[in-house]
Amino acid sequence: MAEKILVVDDDVESLKLIGMMLKRQGYDVVMANSGNQALMKAGIEKPQLVILDVMMADMDGYEVCRRLRGNPDTRAIPIIMFTAKTLIDDKVAGFEAGADDYLTKPTHPAELASRIKAVLGRNATASQHLRPQGISVGILGSKGGIGTTTVVVNMAAALAQTKQRPIVADFQLGTGAVAAQFGLTGKLDGMATVLTRPVAEIRGPLVMQHLVNHATGAKVLASSADPKEAHTKYSLDAASATLKALKGLGTHILCDLGTGYTELTAKLLSSLDRLVVLVEPIPMAMSAAEQLLTALRADFSGKPIHLVVVNRSPLARYTITWTDVEARLGQSVAGMVSAAPEVAYQALETGQPD
């Protein structure tokens, strides 16, 4: 579910402008045009962040901030004060009132977005002890072209619809397709940027800055489709640290691991809570699936491995039955994805999971 941000400003045009920018970033926006309305909406809406203008007619932002901090129901909500005032004393007054950050108008949208991510990231890290860590799920294809990314994206969208906070971690540097399937644009090298940082720096606040919001409520730590990104040098310990940080930021961390039992997958097994293995029900694919599952069962012992059959062929004579798949692989099938190419293409065009 997207983070909810309460924007408070008695200037209607500023309110609309900031609200529009935040909605484009995937946030759920609530607006208030006075101090008293802000206090009321903060108590009712329980936002994850308040962006608060200082200069308002009925009650200035400093007083609103103090009252929010004085209320047990709202005191933990992070606050960014937003004002045309530039004097140091004004900023000091904002921090003394309880603000977490202070921005001066006019502010570039990119700077505002960066500050929001940083504040939300710090708040998420500080409150980790108040909520359980997210469940990490590795999604792995037994062969190429089976639709691993499509399954990942749709799992995230389904979880978001149930008011969860899913995050998709696209570990496919240089061949990343998660962002494209979500219809996301812009700078999409968050995963590569995080992985190349020193392991000691890979914590919640850093990772939070590089998450991209989708309208469904899911978040993405994206890899790009730039082939040069595939040559990115990073340590496997950095990958483990990234997954650990993500588990503190969402309820479900869905890791697109691509195809086969790579060195990266082997490293992440100790941090993953469960695996979803995708198999195609055709004879030539069964041998690869058998070998993959044998290796995973040995190294992922004691943790659940879910088997999902992806049937891409509309011709039944080329596929084997569900029960035959179970018999050959020695495991029950958790689910089946049927071929629906027209729906899939439509989803790609609209950027909305099918």
Side-chain angles (χ1 to χ4, degrees):
M1 189 174 182
E3 285 105 335
K4 185 183 295 183
I5 298 178
L6 171 60
V7 183
V8 187
D9 198 323
D10 62 358
D11 183 328
V12 176
E13 292 305 315
S14 293
L15 201 62
K16 289 180 179 179
L17 185 64
I18 297 170
M20 185 182 304
M21 189 278 290
L22 294 177
K23 287 178 181 178
R24 287 175 179 171
Q25 293 289 326
Y27 295 108
D28 182 7
V29 179
V30 178
M31 298 183 182
N33 59 15
S34 69
N36 283 312
Q37 191 178 64
L39 295 173
M40 178 188 67
K41 289 195 173 184
I44 295 172
E45 298 287 347
K46 300 296 189 295
Q48 279 74 53
L49 174 69
V50 176
I51 296 178
L52 177 62
D53 186 44
V54 170
M55 301 298 292
M56 293 186 291
D58 69 325
M59 182 188 306
D60 66 33
Y62 303 133
E63 181 60 24
V64 174
C65 190
R66 282 189 287 267
R67 294 193 186 189
L68 288 173
R69 291 289 178 251
N71 184 341
D73 293 333
T74 59
R75 66 174 46 151
I77 301 174
I79 299 170
I80 296 177
M81 301 204 83
F82 201 51
T83 182
K85 289 191 170 186
T86 59
L87 296 178
I88 294 297
D89 287 348
D90 296 320
K91 293 185 178 183
V92 171
F95 289 123
E96 288 179 344
D100 295 89
D101 204 348
Y102 199 109
L103 279 172
T104 303
K105 295 180 181 179
T107 298
H108 192 279
E111 182 184 7
L112 178 58
S114 178
R115 295 288 190 94
I116 288 172
K117 285 187 176 183
V119 171
L120 287 173
R122 289 197 298 270
N123 190 61
T125 301
S127 62
Q128 279 182 25
H129 66 284
L130 299 177
R131 66 184 185 211
Q133 293 285 289
I135 298 170
S136 55
V137 184
I139 297 88
L140 184 64
S142 59
K143 63 183 289 294
I146 201 170
T148 304
T149 298
T150 300
V151 171
V152 172
V153 167
N154 280 278
M155 287 175 64
L159 285 166
Q161 287 179 353
T162 64
K163 308 303 181 183
Q164 302 296 317
R165 295 178 288 107
I167 298 175
V168 178
D170 188 351
F171 282 98
Q172 303 306 296
L173 299 185
T175 58
V178 169
Q181 290 207 21
F182 267 129
L184 300 172
T185 58
K187 194 171 178 59
L188 301 170
D189 59 353
M191 178 64 81
T193 302
V194 171
L195 290 177
T196 53
R197 298 291 290 270
V199 174
E201 295 181 11
I202 302 178
R203 299 290 185 269
L206 170 67
V207 176
M208 186 72 180
Q209 291 180 47
H210 296 283
L211 293 178
V212 182
N213 299 311
H214 185 258
T216 58
K219 294 180 181 296
V220 180
L221 185 58
S223 290
S224 78
D226 181 352
K228 293 182 180 179
E229 190 181 86
H231 300 289
T232 302
K233 303 295 184 183
Y234 67 92
S235 71
L236 294 177
D237 287 337
S240 294
T242 300
L243 179 52
K244 181 179 179 181
L246 286 167
K247 291 176 73 171
L249 300 174
T251 58
H252 297 77
I253 315 305
L254 308 180
C255 302
D256 187 345
L257 300 177
T259 303
Y261 195 4
T262 65
E263 190 177 11
L264 172 65
T265 296
K267 177 65 176 180
L268 293 180
L269 286 183
S270 61
S271 301
L272 291 169
D273 298 308
R274 59 191 63 189
L275 283 171
V276 174
V277 178
L278 310 181
V279 300
E280 190 171 9
I282 56 176
M284 68 180 66
M286 284 294 100
S287 178
E290 284 180 304
Q291 295 182 59
L292 176 61
L293 285 168
T294 297
L296 291 173
R297 286 165 183 157
D299 298 340
F300 202 62
S301 179
K303 295 181 181 180
I305 299 176
H306 305 284
L307 199 62
V308 173
V309 173
V310 180
N311 184 7
R312 300 187 301 152
S313 174
L315 302 176
R317 67 178 181 273
Y318 294 125
T319 64
I320 60 180
T321 66
W322 180 316
T323 54
D324 286 342
V325 171
E326 291 181 331
R328 182 158 178 179
L329 299 181
Q331 182 173 335
S332 297
V333 172
M336 177 174 281
V337 180
S338 300
E342 291 185 2
V343 176
Y345 290 138
Q346 183 180 17
L348 285 173
E349 288 181 354
T350 61
Q352 294 296 324
D354 55 0

